Amino acid sequence: MSDEDAERSDTRRLPTLDKTPDGAEGPDGTGGATPSSADTPAAGTADHDRVRRFRSARRVPAALVALVLLAATGLLLYDVAAVRADRPAMAWRRWLARELGTRHLDNPWVLGAAAVAVVLGIWLIVLAVTPGLRQVLPMRPAAPGIRAGLDRAAAALVLRDRAMEVAGVQSVRVAVSRRKAKTHAVSHFRELDEVRADLDTSLGEGLRQLGLAHELRLTVDVRRPKKR
């Protein structure tokens, strides 16, 4: 055997680790499996249920609360400093001290002020613990560390365009909420059941193509035009 033949025998290709569809070993006696693209889960499906809604910065409520607290604190500190400097307290502070000293707890004004304070406190707590941004629907993550959202109005517009492509649809209204996609269509020809079936198929495919993290429940209502 020549040197060239020895080199070829030493550098021959090793068998791959493939497996037959039924799980048996290949003809070369090797084991292992190579998953196909159909069996491989799509990117982000493992984290499908862990996708959270987008949180609002709530800049306007935070700015309003900060301005109110800043103004009240500054006015109170100014009045306390004025009293410490042997100057009379402001009229509003003397009036407030007099009212707090003379009014009972069951007074309507006291109860009303307490109710307003409770409502404002609950409102601030709700703003702090809820995510907000109800108009943005979270989408499935296409890559780690990347988040995407779709506006509900844009999703409704896409579904409306798909619905208008169905034969027999004269007009359609689509309303998309956080959990539902409601479609109200008007059909001027074809059987209503056929139009409804085509709308279910087309809009169902449209919802899947939107790539939303949480699947929306589709409802379709088809009617005839109103007689004039």
Side-chain angles (χ1 to χ4, degrees):
M1 183 173 61
S2 63
D3 294 338
E4 183 179 356
D5 295 335
E7 181 180 0
R8 289 179 180 176
S9 63
D10 293 339
T11 59
R12 66 179 181 274
R13 186 176 181 180
L14 295 176
T16 58
L17 299 179
D18 292 334
K19 227 178 187 182
T20 57
D22 56 354
E25 294 182 353
D28 55 358
T30 59
T34 303
S36 63
S37 59
D39 298 332
T40 304
T45 53
D47 298 333
H48 174 75
D49 295 332
R50 285 182 278 176
V51 178
R52 297 290 184 261
R53 289 171 51 193
F54 290 88
R55 298 194 69 91
S56 173
R58 302 271 168 69
R59 295 183 177 87
V60 175
L64 291 177
V65 173
L67 288 177
V68 170
L69 292 179
L70 180 62
T73 304
L75 188 61
L76 181 61
L77 289 178
Y78 174 80
D79 190 51
V80 170
V83 172
R84 293 291 184 179
D86 296 333
R87 300 188 61 180
M90 292 185 178
W92 66 269
R93 190 180 174 195
R94 295 195 302 267
W95 173 84
L96 182 60
R98 184 172 60 254
E99 292 294 327
L100 292 176
T102 56
R103 291 185 181 273
H104 298 284
L105 295 179
D106 57 351
N107 187 274
W109 288 100
V110 176
L111 296 177
V116 171
V118 169
V119 171
L120 289 177
I122 294 176
W123 177 59
L124 293 176
I125 292 175
V126 170
L127 291 180
V129 300
T130 54
L133 290 180
R134 299 176 62 89
Q135 295 295 327
V136 179
L137 300 174
M139 303 178 68
R140 290 191 297 268
I146 298 178
R147 296 189 64 194
L150 180 63
D151 190 80
R152 281 161 47 180
L157 183 60
V158 172
L159 296 178
R160 177 186 176 276
D161 291 342
R162 290 186 66 95
M164 290 299 298
E165 296 176 356
V166 175
V169 175
Q170 183 181 29
S171 63
V172 62
R173 291 185 297 107
V174 180
V176 176
S177 62
R178 287 175 51 199
R179 296 180 177 86
K180 297 180 181 180
K182 298 181 180 179
T183 304
H184 301 276
V186 176
S187 176
H188 57 301
F189 70 93
R190 295 183 66 195
E191 294 294 332
L192 295 182
D193 293 338
E194 297 179 359
V195 176
R196 185 179 297 106
D198 290 347
L199 285 174
D200 286 334
T201 303
S202 178
L203 295 180
E205 181 64 23
L207 286 175
R208 286 188 290 271
Q209 292 180 359
L210 290 179
L212 299 178
H214 306 288
E215 185 177 355
L216 301 179
R217 188 172 61 184
L218 177 64
T219 59
V220 178
D221 179 32
V222 183
R223 298 181 181 181
R224 292 297 186 192
K226 293 182 179 181
K227 295 182 180 179
R228 297 181 180 178

